[in-house]
Amino acid sequence: MSRYRIEGGRRLQGEVTIGGAKNSAVAIIPAVVLSDGVCRIENIPNISDIFVSFEILKALGAQVRMLDPSTVEIDPRTICSHVVPHELARNMRASYYFLGSLLGKFGVARVSMPGGCNFGLRPIDQHLKGFTALGATVPPMIENGMIEASATHLIGNSIYLDVVSVGATINIMLAAVKARGITIIENAAKEPHIVDVANFLNAMGADIRGAGTDVIKICGVPHLYGTSYSIIPDQIEAGTFMAAAVATGGDVLIKNVVPKHLESISAKLQEMGATVEEIDDMVRVRMDGPIRHCNVKTMPHPGFPTDMQPQISVLLAMADGTSAVTDTVWENRFRYVDELRRMGAQAQVNGKVAVFEGVPMLTGAPVKAYDLRAGAAMVIAGLAAQGRTEIDDVHYIERGYEYFIEKLRGLGAEICRVDIPSPYAKRA
Ligand code: EPZ
């Protein structure tokens, strides 16, 4: 068990380099299953979700070799199983991408119900609707916690998603790339990681057009080949550091980003009084005045990302007035507000809307991370608060932020990890 300890009230200053996008990597690694050759993937983030993905590949029989901390070589030719066991699948939500890739490659897949951050129901009906449209059989009842899909052969089809879903868009692409004929996904998600996965599949020889728009066309091909590919920078890691710079009245140069992926975040921070300067593959964020209150509504890309909702709410908790935050994507992603209240925030949550009455200052307190982005938000709050903050359950944070403490210390933050004996540890 470990926790983060933060002595707040220090301005963040200096440079930080962003790693590879988690939500690309957790889809691209399962996609390697579809290849008939060895794949080399660069700019892999050093996070626990990735290590779980590698363990799943090894459990399926693939060879996985780290060439350096951010480059992996995967040989899927020795895969001999199509079953992703519970003890691995339950550790993260993205394990469900092995459904699409195993089904697309072998015509059969059995994956335990996924885990992942708990902020309300996280159905996968649209994923299964897509697999069924491609000709797969998906048993109506989930037995023994395992999701199954099988098909003698997959046939291209048109699929209109009832809801804009990142996971369903990617999973249907994975199942369709080798199907016979043409698949059209309509009302598709348009996030940067959707485009990244499509680009990786095309680098292996797939024929996917329209990724990044709401209509994606996939022409099935008989084979996909080994390739080399580098993952895009993480939009949300970058946004998290942008928010931390604003929260502490800092001046931070954030390197290795795609500014276009950050447009909605940059616009919102500028609305709150920050200066955001785009310089090639970098953004510089400065804040030297009060945080202006404003309203935020999360939307699928290119709208304001739900994965930045907790982080931006911390800033609004310290703004010069009343702000409303609406999360249109997840129905219960405000549990962290209870923890912010412990630090002095004034907020009311009613379903998908949180209303913040800004306070001049937060004060340090013992808090916990409810999930990945909520945990990042508590770190931002601790950096801005006066006094000491200790954050429990930091394993959630380390699912999605590589070298988080090291990067923050590099910007002048006073943050460290402290190991705490488990209350159940046997007395020596
Ligand atoms: C991905 O989750 C991300 N996770 C999430 O990021 C992110 O919050 C989410 O997309 C939205 O951008 C990964 O990429 C691993 P969805 P996903 O399918 O794919 C409903 C993080 O912090 N829906 O786009 O699970 C769903 O309930 C994580 O990095 C259905 O109704 O999200 C939600 O309301 C947290 N049926 C909406 O769609 C389905 O079959 C969007 O969900 C699928 C989704």
Side-chain angles (χ1 to χ4, degrees), residues 29 41 44-46 50-51 54 58 63-74 403:
I29 289 166
I41 315 230
I44 293 266
N46 190 297
I50 296 305
F51 307 140
F54 290 160
K58 290 176 193 170
Q63 310 294 320
V64 179
R65 189 159 71 96
M66 291 305 292
L67 304 182
D68 65 42
S70 64
T71 307
V72 67
E73 186 177 78
I74 301 168
Y403 314 119

Side-chain angles (χ1 to χ4, degrees), residues 22-23 93 96 123-126 165-167 307 329-330 373:
K22 167 180 88 79
N23 291 346
R93 173 133 181 104
Y96 58 32
I124 59 166
D125 57 298
Q126 299 298 301
S165 161
V166 168
D307 292 347
V329 178
W330 299 109
R373 306 302 175 183

